[in-house]
Amino acid sequence: MTDTWLQRWNNRYSEKGFAYGTEPNVYLKEQLDKLTPGKILFGAEGEGRNAVYAAKMGWHVSAFDISIEGKNKALKLAAENNVSIDYSVGQLPHLDFGDEEFDVIALIYAHFPPNIKSSYHRLLDTKLKKGGLVIFEAFGKKHLGYRDKNPSIGGPSDSALLFSTDELKSDFKNYKALELVEKEIELNEGLYHIGKGSVVRFLGQKL
């Protein structure tokens, strides 16, 4: 992971206000609201909007990101909502999460660099209990067309950073796909996800 990548996210999260808002992602909220709270891990969690929502719902929340600025915002948001989250800063292989520790792993716009994203998915799999769930939403391969028409929708401009359903099938082979689809949705998340985009949604249960 390059210094340029790290600096990009520190710059974004050091801006005034919350880049993607303070409300949880719609898909994540829909899924969590169906579940009994347990232990959940958020990858590339940024400013903490999703982690804080889970904590408010009674989940024991862990999260990680490479950005210290993201962590600072997340802890501020958690304090404002009278909840606590365990937030680590660093690259996943160097972080101390236990094997089969979590009931849910949430990856919401976790666009890891292309050279590591599949290895991160496979490492995260080892942290999930059997029967546990992966909740995933991120921009899909069709998204570039939406981004060209409306830059306000955000998302990567490099197709290698986008996802396909086949990629998710490959990375999470030992899962039952309760949902796996690329679809058009309307986003209204802070300053950087506004408008129609194409996302991949994956709800997978570990076998």
Side-chain angles (χ1 to χ4, degrees), residues 32 35-41 54-55 57-62 101-104 129:
L32 286 189
L35 302 175
T36 301
K39 294 189 71 175
I40 187 169
L41 175 62
M57 295 295 292
W59 290 81
H60 184 281
V61 177
S62 297
E101 180 178 352
F102 297 98
D103 301 291
V104 174
K129 297 175 183 177

Side-chain angles (χ1 to χ4, degrees), residues 32-187:
L32 286 189
D33 288 356
K34 301 173 187 176
L35 302 175
T36 301
K39 294 189 71 175
I40 187 169
L41 175 62
F42 288 87
E45 175 53 10
E47 298 168 312
R49 63 194 176 104
N50 297 308
V52 167
Y53 177 76
K56 288 168 67 177
M57 295 295 292
W59 290 81
H60 184 281
V61 177
S62 297
F64 70 91
D65 200 284
I66 57 168
S67 171
I68 186 64
E69 298 294 343
K71 177 181 179 177
N72 291 340
K73 284 268 192 71
L75 295 183
K76 178 175 181 279
L77 185 63
E80 289 172 354
N81 284 273
N82 299 309
V83 296
S84 63
I85 57 176
D86 180 11
Y87 197 122
S88 300
V89 174
Q91 298 187 39
L92 177 60
H94 305 138
L95 301 178
D96 190 24
F97 300 121
D99 289 345
E100 298 190 7
E101 180 178 352
F102 297 98
D103 301 291
V104 174
I105 289 175
L107 297 169
I108 304 300
Y109 297 95
H111 288 273
F112 301 116
N115 62 316
I116 64 170
K117 61 180 179 176
S118 288
S119 65
Y120 267 39
H121 289 166
R122 290 169 187 145
L123 182 54
L124 286 165
D125 165 66
T126 68
K127 311 304 177 186
L128 186 66
K129 297 175 183 177
K130 289 184 178 179
L133 295 174
V134 169
I135 303 172
F136 178 102
E137 181 177 282
F139 291 116
K141 294 293 187 183
K142 298 175 184 176
H143 183 67
L144 290 181
Y146 291 84
R147 197 180 188 280
D148 289 342
K149 293 175 185 175
N150 173 25
S152 294
I153 188 58
S157 58
D158 180 356
S159 65
L161 283 160
L162 302 173
F163 292 94
S164 69
T165 55
D166 285 343
E167 185 176 8
L168 273 294
K169 284 179 186 176
S170 176
D171 288 354
F172 296 99
K173 288 179 179 176
N174 57 324
Y175 284 71
K176 178 182 180 181
L178 304 176
E179 181 177 10
L180 179 57
V181 64
E182 181 166 0
K183 63 185 294 186
E184 178 184 282
I185 66 167
E186 185 81 29
L187 282 165

